[in-house]
């Protein structure tokens, strides 16, 4: 039996003649003509005689078997079909023609029918309407580039597709304005949203497949002057959860942070702007706890990763304001569930802040997040929400401020180009992947005294640095010195992020 290293690539001509569903069901993928007259086909153990006979009959050729493991042949199928799917431009041309044809007809029944095709694998194109193929290609393009978000932004003369990769939005790709309604409607169908309602914001969610890879979608729409704007957040479940090492958290900070997570009570805050990895850090910490010995519960908006589906016994609750479930009301109910550790996705108001404080005072360990620029500013934010200084001083144990900084592309060394043209790994940006910058403030007794008497942020920051806190600027300087990123990138995320 051959290994994957023995097979360079599949034959793209095979993909044009055989639907991906058949190839995957029967574990077959063409490799091209051999030395004789037979056509070589990679075959997995799942290929039965009937499927093999049907394939030979359909191709009208003698077949030569090349045995592969099931895992190897399925991976080769996905790679080969992924290479030959029609690109966005080709799908857009077909869809525009179709939509224009429907527009001159008497009704929208045809469009409604094609938009409501059953969700299928993004690699499968057989029988799909052009509009559906465009959306598939947009999602496929986003997944291939490792994007966290896909934006469809309506403008006066076009609809612009933009991707957020490594935290930065690209310039975008223009699509015909004629497709705007059809594209938005198709995405709403995928997210099980109300297609007819175009004047109020909506949220939806779905899962799509890319071969054996599953991607969860969080969909948001909002009306604008030129039509509905759509943002799709993509969560690749195959990647799983990143641990603290993967985030780049230094060993010394890890030791202190995880030590704090073992406490029986208190409040631990993670701060930073949207998209700085706060939830990822808290998830990583929760996974390190003795989950079989402690009742860990969360109230989140949204639930980004379903931990129980990954075999982690943590109960997660979703905020649902329409049903009256806010962070505050959800936290009240969680406290009746005999929790040991509680994650409150974000402290946004006085009621939630006070409940979190009360929970910590009654013997619970509380994790939460705030949107502040640095660790010390979290204290001021709690005071601004109306929490008394002495309560902050008596319950707050640690504040971790963080950012995600893009790292230089290892393939092109940050130049963005290779001898043959733009670097395919980083998309000519010079950056590929991200690591965290961290600032951990451990609340000492002298700092509690300062908080209790309402000391300024300048005083608190000086005390925190004296106690060993490394500021974000220093962490960024160390990463620049190591050659992993640039000073301009550090400045972007610290001072402008």
């Amino acid at each position: 039996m051959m290994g994957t290293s023995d097979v360079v690539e599949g034959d793209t001509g095979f993909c044009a003649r055989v639907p991906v569903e058949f190839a995957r069901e029967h574990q077959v993928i063409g490799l091209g003509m051999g030395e004789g007259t037979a056509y070589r086909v990679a075959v997995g153990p799942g290929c039965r005689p009937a499927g093999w006979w049907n394939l030979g009959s359909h191709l009208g050729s003698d077949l030569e078997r090349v045995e592969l493991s099931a895992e190897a042949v399925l991976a080769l199928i996905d790679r080969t079909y992924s290479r030959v799917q029609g690109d966005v431009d080709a799908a857009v041309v077909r869809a525009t023609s179709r939509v224009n044809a429907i527009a001159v007809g008497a009704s929208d029944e045809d469009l409604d029918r094609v938009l409501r095709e059953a969700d299928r694998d993004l690699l499968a194109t057989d029988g799909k309407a052009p509009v559906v193929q465009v959306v598939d290609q947009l999602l496929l393009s986003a997944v291939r580039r490792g994007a966290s978000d896909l934006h469809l932004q309506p403008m006066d003369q076009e609809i612009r597709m933009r991707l957020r990769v490594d935290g930065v939005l690209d310039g975008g790709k223009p699509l015909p304005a004629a497709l705007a309604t059809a594209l938005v409607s198709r995405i709403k169908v995928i997210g099980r949203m109300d297609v007819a309602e175009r004047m109020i914001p909506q949220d939806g969610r779905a899962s799509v497949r890319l071969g054996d890879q599953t991607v969860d979608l969080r969909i948001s729409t909002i009306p604008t002057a030129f039509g509905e704007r759509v943002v799709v957040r993509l969560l690749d479940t195959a990647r799983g959860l990143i641990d603290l090492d993967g985030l780049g958290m230094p060993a010394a900070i890890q030791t202190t942070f995880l030590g704090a997570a073992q406490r029986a009570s208190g409040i631990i805050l993670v701060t930073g702007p949207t998209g700085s990895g706060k939830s990822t850090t808290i998830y990583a910490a929760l996974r390190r706890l003795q989950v079989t010995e402690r009742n860990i519960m969360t109230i989140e908006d949204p639930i980004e990763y379903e931990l129980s589906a990954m075999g982690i016994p943590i109960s997660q609750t979703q905020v649902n304001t329409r049903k009256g479930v806010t962070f505050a009301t959800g936290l009240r109910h969680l406290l009746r569930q005999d929790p040991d550790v509680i994650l409150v996705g974000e402290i946004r108001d006085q009621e939630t802040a006070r409940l979190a404080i009360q929970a910590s005072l009654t013997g619970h360990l509380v994790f939460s997040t705030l949107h502040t620029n640095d660790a010390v500013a979290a204290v001021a934010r709690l005071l601004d929400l109306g929490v008394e200084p002495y309560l902050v001083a008596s319950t707050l144990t640690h504040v971790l401020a963080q950012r995600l900084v893009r790292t230089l592309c290892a393939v092109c060394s940050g130049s963005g180009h290779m001898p043959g043209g733009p670097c395919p790994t980083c998309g000519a940006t010079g950056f590929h992947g991200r690591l965290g910058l961290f600032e951990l403030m451990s609340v000492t007794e002298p700092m509690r005294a300062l908080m209790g008497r309402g000391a300024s942020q300048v005083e608190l920051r000086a005390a925190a640095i004296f106690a060993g806190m490394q500021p974000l600027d220093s962490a960024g300087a160390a990463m620049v010195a190591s050659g992993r990123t640039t000073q301009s990138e550090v400045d972007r995320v610290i001072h402008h992020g």
Side-chain angles (χ1 to χ4, degrees):
M1 179 178 291
M2 292 180 62
T4 52
S5 60
D6 299 313
V7 180
V8 177
E9 60 182 13
D11 175 23
T12 55
F14 180 91
C15 304
R17 303 181 64 185
V18 179
V20 67
E21 297 92 339
F22 181 95
R24 194 175 289 119
E25 177 184 354
H26 297 283
Q27 297 183 8
V28 291
I29 180 68
L31 302 177
M33 296 301 296
E35 295 180 358
T37 60
Y39 183 77
R40 300 172 69 241
V41 178
V43 182
C47 182
R48 299 293 180 257
W52 181 256
W53 185 89
N54 287 334
L55 179 64
S57 176
H58 177 71
L59 295 178
S61 172
D62 293 333
L63 303 182
E64 175 187 343
R65 297 175 69 99
V66 178
E67 303 287 346
L68 290 178
S69 68
E71 180 181 0
V73 75
L74 290 172
L76 186 57
I77 289 169
D78 289 346
R79 289 200 306 273
T80 307
Y81 278 86
S82 181
R83 292 204 319 271
V84 299
Q85 297 311 310
D87 62 15
V88 172
D89 291 332
V92 164
V93 170
R94 294 191 297 271
T96 304
S97 175
R98 178 61 173 150
V99 169
N100 287 339
I102 292 174
V104 299
S107 72
D108 288 341
E109 291 182 1
D110 287 342
L111 180 59
D112 183 68
R113 176 182 57 79
V114 298
L115 290 176
R116 294 188 177 279
E117 284 185 350
D119 293 344
R120 296 162 65 188
D121 193 325
L122 296 184
L123 294 181
T125 60
D126 188 39
K128 286 186 177 179
V131 171
V132 177
Q133 291 186 34
V134 171
V135 173
D136 284 2
Q137 288 301 321
L138 294 177
L139 294 173
L140 188 58
S141 174
V143 172
R144 283 172 174 167
R145 289 193 56 192
S148 61
D149 301 87
L150 181 152
H151 292 233
L152 289 179
Q153 180 178 352
M155 304 175 76
D156 187 17
Q157 301 295 326
E158 65 187 28
I159 181 169
R160 184 164 290 269
M161 186 273 284
R162 306 176 71 189
L163 298 177
R164 187 179 295 279
V165 180
D166 289 337
V168 178
L169 271 175
D170 63 14
K173 179 182 183 65
L175 303 174
L179 287 182
T181 300
L183 293 180
V184 173
S185 296
R186 172 57 187 166
I187 291 174
K188 283 183 173 180
V189 169
I190 293 174
R192 296 172 178 82
M193 301 154 73
D194 187 347
V195 176
E197 180 55 74
R198 299 172 181 172
M199 299 307 295
I200 63 173
Q202 295 189 59
D203 295 309
R205 59 189 301 172
S207 294
V208 295
R209 286 187 298 115
L210 175 58
D212 290 335
Q213 178 182 359
T214 300
V215 179
D216 288 339
L217 309 179
R218 304 289 187 270
I219 304 168
S220 172
T221 67
I222 190 169
T224 72
F226 296 110
E228 290 182 280
R229 176 171 181 151
V230 179
V231 175
V232 181
R233 171 150 292 186
L234 302 104
L235 301 171
D236 184 356
T237 58
R239 294 180 184 175
L241 292 173
I242 302 173
D243 60 19
L244 296 178
D245 289 325
L247 279 169
M249 183 179 286
I253 292 181
Q254 273 198 53
T255 299
T256 303
F257 186 64
L258 291 175
Q262 300 296 333
R263 294 172 59 100
S265 63
I267 295 180
I268 300 173
L269 297 177
V270 180
T271 76
T274 300
S276 58
K278 301 185 295 295
S279 296
T280 301
T281 295
I282 294 178
Y283 280 154
L286 292 180
R287 292 169 63 202
R288 293 285 193 95
L289 301 181
Q290 294 295 326
V291 292
T292 58
E293 299 174 6
R294 304 172 81 175
N295 181 18
I296 304 175
M297 307 190 73
T298 80
I299 175 73
E300 304 173 63
D301 184 25
I303 296 174
E304 295 194 19
Y305 288 94
E306 295 181 356
L307 301 176
S308 60
M310 301 178 187
I312 305 170
I314 294 177
S315 298
Q316 296 170 273
T317 301
Q318 169 76 50
V319 165
N320 187 338
T321 54
R322 293 182 181 178
K323 301 293 185 180
V325 181
T326 64
F327 280 120
T329 59
L331 179 53
R332 286 185 186 278
H333 288 289
L334 257 59
L335 289 171
R336 299 169 188 158
Q337 293 285 313
D338 186 31
D340 297 298
V341 181
I342 300 170
L343 163 59
V344 181
E346 183 182 347
I347 294 178
R348 297 176 179 171
D349 52 50
Q350 184 184 73
E351 184 180 10
T352 306
R354 286 186 173 277
L355 284 169
I357 293 285
Q358 187 61 39
S360 69
L361 288 172
T362 54
H364 304 88
L365 180 64
V366 179
F367 284 89
S368 193
T369 70
L370 284 174
H371 288 153
T372 64
N373 289 330
D374 56 35
V376 173
V379 176
R381 177 61 178 149
L382 291 175
L383 297 179
D384 289 343
L385 289 174
V387 180
E388 291 80 358
Y390 75 92
L391 288 176
V392 177
S394 60
T395 56
L396 189 63
T397 66
H398 295 79
V399 182
L400 180 74
Q402 70 178 65
R403 299 289 192 279
L404 290 177
V405 63
R406 292 183 297 171
T407 52
L408 293 173
C409 176
V411 175
C412 67
S413 301
S415 68
H417 289 80
M418 302 292 288
C423 175
T425 300
C426 67
T429 64
F431 296 96
H432 183 64
R434 291 189 290 176
L435 288 174
L437 299 179
F438 301 94
E439 173 184 275
L440 180 61
M441 181 179 78
S442 300
V443 180
T444 62
E445 289 306 316
M447 293 176 66
R448 295 188 194 281
L450 289 172
M451 292 179 192
R453 65 175 177 82
S456 68
Q457 290 191 50
V458 173
E459 292 177 280
L460 282 174
R461 185 172 181 80
I465 292 174
F466 179 79
M469 182 183 79
Q470 180 189 45
L472 283 172
D473 284 322
S474 298
M479 189 173 289
V480 172
S482 70
R484 289 180 291 176
T485 192
T486 65
Q487 186 61 51
S488 61
E489 174 66 8
V490 169
D491 291 339
R492 181 185 69 84
V493 300
I494 293 181
H495 303 298
H496 307 292

